[in-house]
């Protein structure tokens, strides 16, 4: 069994069965039969869409449970959970609508034959592997795209956050989705690696760390399986001279606390002109020192715990590294009076060297690096000097400058004046932040194969 531990209290709050390698093989076999021999693979997209919309309706009924599951398992703020959960269900509904609007069959001009058709067919059995920070939103989108495409699915949630996947499995059953089309296995690293290596899996859709993504990419390349990888980030926000210090501090100091900093697209590097560096550092420190830290069930809490003990230890290790290479302005300690639970203060390092580990490696916690730059060109060079390229931002009131910098920053997403994410549009990264895109209409393509038919 897998124990579920509350990051607020460190108490065990539940257990689920742990899948082993044999369970993974059984799930793949069930999905294979459902695809090759069952009705799912022979349904039209519109017919599949009826089932996916029904599943969306069932998930809508379960939103209060889904919100509570997120708070219980990873310490997500109860004040934010309904918003996050509702947004994920709405996205599921949008994806379901693609069953009716997407061009699965197109006639193209041809010089060789009378009728040339380009058709989109399901890639096959899809393993959908989700992380622990936003388990419902990430896993549900993968599953919705796969089902609309006509794939059968194996849901593999993180061992720390399986509850949402169980609710999704129940919603699929309630919607009448045929047996074997949606499967659930919750296992550890070895069993998950076995799933990825199973030749019956045609497609792996993975969101998680770059290290795990590299392993999945290697395995899929070895057997020429399809994969989509949405990986880590060390995203930069450039502060221009026209943007007020207090406004910049409010954005940067409060953004780093969202989901306790456990967001792949987090703006964890702030790059500021050297002559404004110290003033901005003081202003961000004041913002951070005013943030209310507490249990995630408290509706007044602004910063809850990180998700698990190993994550707290990881953040603390990076804080120690930062103390040796940069100036610790504020934070870096366990909050007073919170002896139980995985809590840490919002932390600001100033005068950070962009070549240092705290600037180059993903910390995944409420730790912000403030990096001085000589000028705008130097700021852009620093922003792009990273193995990652997931997200970016510029703080400016000049929209033309924002667009100019957006086009030159090597990142899959970019927002003016803050961390801007729109999951109805494509999402993904450059460089080691991943391969492929999720979100929007484009999120359907990785679950499809293109076939040319000449008649």
């Amino acid at each position: 069994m897998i124990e579920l531990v509350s990051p607020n209290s460190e108490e065990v709050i539940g257990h689920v069965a742990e899948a082993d390698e044999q369970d993974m093989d059984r799930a793949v076999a069930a999905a294979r039969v459902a695809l090759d021999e069952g009705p799912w693979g022979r349904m039209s997209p519109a017919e599949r869409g009826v089932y996916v919309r029904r599943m969306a309706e069932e998930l809508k009924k379960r939103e209060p449970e889904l919100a509570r599951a997120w708070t219980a398992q990873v310490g997500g703020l109860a004040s934010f959970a309904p918003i996050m959960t509702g947004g994920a269900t709405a996205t599921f509904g949008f994806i379901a609508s693609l069953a009716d609007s997407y061009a699965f069959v197109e006639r193209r001009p041809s010089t060789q034959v009378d009728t040339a058709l380009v058709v989109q067919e399901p890639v096959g059995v899809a393993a959908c592997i989700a992380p622990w920070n936003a388990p419902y939103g990430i896993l549900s989108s993968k599953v919705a795209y796969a089902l609309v495409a006509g794939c059968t699915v194996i849901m593999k949630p993180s061992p720390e956050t399986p509850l949402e996947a169980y609710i999704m499995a129940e919603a699929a059953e309630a919607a009448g989705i045929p047996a074997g089309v949606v499967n659930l296995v919750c296992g550890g690293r070895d069993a998950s690696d076995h799933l990825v290596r199973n030749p019956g899996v045609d497609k792996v859709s993975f969101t998680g760390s770059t290290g795990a993504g590299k392993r999945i990419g290697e395995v899929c390349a070895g057997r020429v399986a399809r994969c989509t990888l949405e990986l880590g980030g060390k995203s930069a926000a450039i502060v221009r001279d026209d943007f007020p210090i207090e406004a910049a501090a409010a954005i940067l100091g409060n953004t780093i606390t969202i989901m306790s900093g456990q967001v792949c697209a987090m703006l964890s590097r702030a790059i500021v002109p050297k002559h404004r560096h110290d003033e901005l550092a003081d202003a961000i420190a004041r913002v951070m020192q005013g943030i209310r830290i507490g249990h995630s069930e408290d509706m007044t809490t602004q910063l809850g715990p990180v998700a698990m003990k190993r994550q707290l230890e990881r953040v603390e290790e990076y804080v120690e590294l930062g103390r040796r290479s940069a100036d610790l302005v504020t934070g870096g300690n366990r909050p007073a009076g919170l002896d139980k639970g995985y809590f840490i203060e919002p932390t600001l390092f100033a005068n950070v060297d962009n070549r240092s580990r705290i600037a180059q490696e993903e910390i995944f916690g409420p730790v912000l690096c403030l990096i001085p730059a000589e000028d705008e060109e130097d700021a852009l060079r620093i922003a792009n000097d990273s193995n990652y390229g997931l997200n970016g931002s510029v703080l400016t009131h000049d929209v033309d400058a924002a667009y100019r910098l957006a086009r030159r920053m090597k990142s899959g997403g970019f927002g003016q004046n803050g961390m801007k994410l729109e999951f109805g549009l494509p999402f993904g990264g450059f460089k080691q932040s991943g391969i492929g895109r999720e979100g929007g209409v484009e999120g359907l393509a990785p679950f499809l194969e293109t076939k040319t038919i000449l008649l």
Side-chain angles (χ1 to χ4, degrees):
M1 303 296 285
I2 296 172
E3 287 188 342
L4 308 182
V5 178
S6 166
N8 285 292
S9 66
E10 303 183 39
E11 296 176 353
V12 175
I13 57 171
H15 299 81
V16 298
E18 180 176 4
D20 60 17
E21 294 178 357
Q22 289 71 36
D23 294 313
M24 297 294 177
D25 289 341
R26 290 174 59 207
V28 174
R32 189 87 257 164
V33 169
L35 180 71
D36 296 341
E37 301 175 19
W40 195 252
R42 295 191 290 272
M43 287 184 186
S44 69
E47 289 171 329
R48 292 194 297 267
V50 172
Y51 287 95
V52 183
R53 281 191 292 273
R54 283 183 197 159
M55 186 172 169
E57 293 166 1
E58 294 297 329
L59 289 170
K60 182 71 177 175
K61 300 174 189 175
R62 307 292 293 272
E63 281 184 359
E65 296 165 76
L66 289 160
R68 289 197 301 273
W70 185 58
T71 298
Q73 295 169 117
V74 297
L77 297 184
S79 58
F80 183 54
I83 299 168
M84 189 168 176
T85 302
T89 307
T91 299
F92 195 99
F94 159 74
I95 297 168
S97 72
L98 296 178
D100 296 321
S101 61
Y102 193 81
F104 289 92
V105 180
E106 287 185 297
R107 183 167 180 169
R108 300 279 184 88
S110 172
T111 60
Q112 304 298 317
V113 298
D114 176 76
T115 303
L117 300 174
V118 176
V119 303
Q120 305 296 331
E121 297 186 348
V123 71
V125 173
C128 297
I129 305 175
W132 46 259
N133 62 331
Y136 174 52
I138 293 173
L139 185 58
S140 63
S141 288
K142 293 179 187 296
V143 169
Y145 281 121
L147 293 179
V148 168
C151 299
T152 54
V153 175
I154 298 145
M155 297 191 293
K156 213 301 292 181
S158 167
E160 290 87 1
T161 54
L163 297 182
E164 293 87 348
Y166 275 88
I167 294 171
M168 289 174 59
E170 292 173 355
E173 190 171 50
I177 291 177
V181 173
V182 176
N183 304 274
L184 167 60
V185 280
C186 183
R189 181 172 299 176
D190 291 343
S192 300
D193 188 68
H194 184 80
L195 171 65
V196 172
R197 288 187 285 111
N198 189 309
V201 174
D202 301 296
K203 156 81 182 181
V204 177
S205 177
F206 172 78
T207 299
S209 71
T210 295
K214 287 179 178 179
R215 167 62 183 169
I216 290 170
E218 290 170 357
V219 172
C220 289
R223 57 185 190 83
V224 200
R226 279 58 176 150
C227 70
T228 304
L229 306 173
E230 198 275 281
L231 308 176
K234 195 70 182 180
S235 302
I238 295 174
V239 183
R240 295 186 80 243
D241 275 336
D242 70 297
F243 205 77
I245 288 290
E246 295 299 328
I251 290 172
L252 296 169
N254 286 297
T255 298
I256 198 67
T257 66
I258 294 172
M259 291 171 56
S260 300
Q262 300 165 136
V263 181
C264 56
M266 177 58 66
L267 301 176
S268 54
R269 291 185 297 152
I271 305 169
V272 60
K274 186 179 292 185
H275 67 274
R276 305 184 83 198
H277 173 276
D278 293 351
E279 186 183 4
L280 181 56
D282 291 342
I284 294 173
R286 289 193 296 273
V287 170
M288 286 184 168
Q289 289 159 8
I291 288 170
R292 182 181 174 88
I293 308 171
H295 283 212
S296 49
E297 293 91 346
D298 185 338
M299 299 299 281
T300 65
T301 292
Q302 296 171 284
L303 174 62
V306 294
M308 58 209 67
K309 184 178 181 181
R310 74 166 188 273
Q311 192 61 26
L312 176 62
E313 292 171 347
R314 175 186 175 89
V315 174
E316 289 175 332
E317 288 173 6
Y318 276 104
V319 168
E320 288 307 308
L321 286 172
R323 291 179 192 270
R324 300 186 215 128
S325 62
D327 299 331
L328 177 61
V329 182
T330 188
N333 299 307
R334 298 288 298 271
L338 290 170
D339 299 325
K340 279 285 188 181
Y342 309 130
F343 296 92
I344 192 164
E345 296 170 334
T347 303
L348 174 65
F349 285 105
N351 288 306
V352 175
D353 184 337
N354 192 58
R355 295 167 295 182
S356 66
R357 287 184 61 187
I358 62 169
Q360 287 293 320
E361 298 176 15
E362 187 175 40
I363 299 173
F364 225 56
V367 180
L368 178 64
C369 295
L370 189 61
I371 304 171
E374 296 294 337
D375 51 29
E376 185 174 289
E377 197 65 25
D378 189 41
L380 185 65
R381 178 193 63 78
I382 292 169
N384 287 333
D385 184 14
S386 171
N387 288 329
Y388 296 107
L390 186 56
N391 195 24
S393 180
V394 63
L395 275 55
T396 180
H397 292 307
D398 185 339
V399 69
D400 293 324
Y403 179 76
R404 182 182 70 249
L405 287 167
R407 294 305 303 267
R408 296 185 64 196
M409 192 175 287
K410 295 181 176 67
S411 62
F414 187 93
Q416 184 180 359
N417 299 342
M419 184 175 71
K420 305 293 174 69
L421 302 175
E422 174 62 64
F423 294 107
L425 297 173
F427 181 81
F430 289 17
K431 297 186 278 188
Q432 292 189 23
S433 285
I435 297 172
R437 292 295 180 269
E438 298 186 352
V441 176
E442 290 80 358
L444 190 58
F447 292 94
L448 295 167
E449 290 278 25
T450 300
K451 177 184 289 184
T452 300
I453 300 176
L454 304 176
L455 304 177

